[in-house]
């Protein structure tokens, strides 16, 4: 399926598990890619696979929590690709900490990337799309953690609840410009971030990592954690014209783990 032929997609968090899967899926669907991460020691394999598909890909090291870097991302995208059609607003961080242990520095670290960074990325992308005058698609990576209590990472949960709220407000503000704004809310997805959290949970419960994973999977109706490609499939749909009349929504992709809309 090639729903995104010649569309230009900017993907943040591109070195992570979900970001890499997004890049590959969007490229398979015909998009040209700008891959951004704070740590670009990464994307050689992904870049090679995308190039092998005959799609253009640019990589850029930048920090979504810094406005100057956000401006540089948009300039680089327009400079190399000529325009911006799709933002995958996906970079994120987590710290596994009990409520009483969270410092102001911890709070700022998580919220500056996940919420403030995501907001100013969205704002910058929307300005560029409005200037182009023919709409666009913004997909925010939130989390099921934004919809339920998260006592072991309240700052992370708050940041993702904020992303869901931002998605709805931005959908209203940008709808008249033809810009659709939606969020994908992953449940447990097999990436480095998930491994870090699963390790910490296993340690806390005094059980092995394998037992922790089995416990987690037993709580999922489909019996499996997400692969990053599961998230990428939803993101590609939301970035396509198949979703042209969908905006302001936050879809769980979680095997039915959290049945909260
Ligand atoms: P990951 O740790 O593999 O990838 C996150 C990427 O974001 C990393 O490559 C990291 O370098 C990058 N990043 C971090 N801070 C950045 C910054 N300031 N600027 C630019 N890039 C930065 O984790 P992932 O699971 O692929 O996470 C992708 C998104 O999915 C995140 O927003 C995360 O919160 C969300 N999510 C993940 C899960 C899960 O179970 N893995 C569940 C729900 C939501």
């Amino acid at each position: 399926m090639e729903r995104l032929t010649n569309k230009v997609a900017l993907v943040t968090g591109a070195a992570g598990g979900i970001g890499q899967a997004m890049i590959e899926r969007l490229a398979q669907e015909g998009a040209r890619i700008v891959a951004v991460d704070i740590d670009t020691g990464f994307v050689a394999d992904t870049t090679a696979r995308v190039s092998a598909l005959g799609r253009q890909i640019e990589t850029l090291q930048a920090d979504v929590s810094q406005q100057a870097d956000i401006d540089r991302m948009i300039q680089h995208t327009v400079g190399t690709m000529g325009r911006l059609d799709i933002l995958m607003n996906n970079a994120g961080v987590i710290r596994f900490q009990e409520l009483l242990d969270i410092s102001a520095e911890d709070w700022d670290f998580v919220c500056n990337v996940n919420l403030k960074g995501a907001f100013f990325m969205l704002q910058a992308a929307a300005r560029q799309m409005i200037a182009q005058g023919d709409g666009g698609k913004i997909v925010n990576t939130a989390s099921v953690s934004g919809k339920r209590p998260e006592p072991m990472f309240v700052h992370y949960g708050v940041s993702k609840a904020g992303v869901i709220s931002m998605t709805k407000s931005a959908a209203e503000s940008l709808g008249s410009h033809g810009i659709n704004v939606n969020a994908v809310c992953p449940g447990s997805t097999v990436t480095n971030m998930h491994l870090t959290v699963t390790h910490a949970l296993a340690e806390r419960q005094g059980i092995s990592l394998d037992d922790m994973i089995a416990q987690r999977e037993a709580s999922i109706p489909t019996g499996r954690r997400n692969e990053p490609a599961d998230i990428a499939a939803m993101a590609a749909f939301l970035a396509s014209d198949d979703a042209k009349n969908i905006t302001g929504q936050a879809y769980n992709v979680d095997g039915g783990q959290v049945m909260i809309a």
Side-chain angles (χ1 to χ4, degrees):
M1 208 171 356
E2 288 205 10
R3 294 176 294 190
L4 306 174
T5 305
N6 283 330
K7 298 288 184 193
V8 176
L10 170 57
V11 182
T12 69
I18 292 174
Q20 289 190 52
M22 285 174 166
I23 289 170
E24 291 206 44
R25 178 63 188 254
L26 297 181
Q28 283 161 10
E29 297 232 20
R32 297 183 287 146
I33 309 290
V34 178
V36 176
D37 202 287
I38 198 165
D39 168 17
T40 43
F42 70 93
V43 270
D45 284 358
T46 311
T47 306
R49 282 195 289 275
V50 169
S51 298
L53 289 168
R55 310 288 185 231
Q56 191 181 357
I57 178 163
E58 291 282 329
T59 58
L60 184 69
Q61 183 174 15
D63 180 346
V64 300
S65 69
Q66 302 298 321
Q67 187 65 47
D69 279 19
I70 291 175
D71 295 343
R72 195 158 55 83
M73 285 178 224
I74 302 296
Q75 281 159 15
H76 188 74
T77 303
V78 176
T80 56
M81 302 281 185
R83 56 183 290 112
L84 173 63
D85 300 295
I86 296 162
L87 171 65
M88 290 289 157
N89 207 1
N90 172 68
V93 292
I94 196 165
R95 283 188 177 168
F96 187 92
Q97 299 169 303
E98 300 218 26
L99 182 143
L100 296 182
D101 295 333
I102 292 173
S103 68
E105 188 273 329
D106 296 320
W107 184 274
D108 287 348
F109 174 72
V110 170
C111 293
N112 279 346
V113 175
N114 293 4
L115 184 53
K116 182 179 167 201
F119 174 76
F120 286 102
M121 281 299 310
L122 175 145
Q123 184 191 61
R127 284 180 174 152
Q128 176 59 32
M129 290 169 182
I130 290 168
Q132 291 168 189
D134 55 358
K137 302 279 196 301
I138 296 175
V139 180
N140 301 314
T141 307
S143 171
V144 293
S145 296
K147 298 184 175 184
R148 67 178 181 192
E150 288 294 8
M152 297 313 302
F153 31 84
V154 62
H155 39 10
Y156 179 82
V158 166
S159 71
K160 295 300 188 179
V163 169
I164 293 168
S165 171
M166 171 182 95
T167 299
K168 295 175 192 299
S169 301
E172 280 230 11
S173 298
L174 301 174
S176 62
H177 296 282
I179 300 171
N180 299 53
V181 186
N182 290 290
V184 56
C185 299
S188 302
T189 307
V190 183
T191 67
N192 286 340
M193 180 183 284
H194 175 67
L195 190 62
T196 305
V197 170
T198 312
H199 247 298
L201 276 169
E203 232 169 55
R204 191 161 182 274
Q205 292 189 21
I207 62 176
S208 71
L209 184 63
D210 284 349
D211 285 349
M212 190 67 236
I213 291 169
Q215 196 189 96
R216 180 62 66 95
E217 289 190 334
S219 74
I220 302 175
T222 59
R224 66 182 278 275
R225 295 171 294 163
N226 291 314
E227 291 299 327
D230 296 318
I231 311 307
M234 172 60 93
F237 164 68
L238 292 172
S240 79
D241 275 342
D242 284 346
K244 62 174 171 290
N245 211 29
I246 297 176
T247 197
Q249 305 303 310
Y251 291 113
N252 299 356
V253 179
D254 67 343
Q257 195 178 6
V258 175
M259 295 200 191
I260 304 171

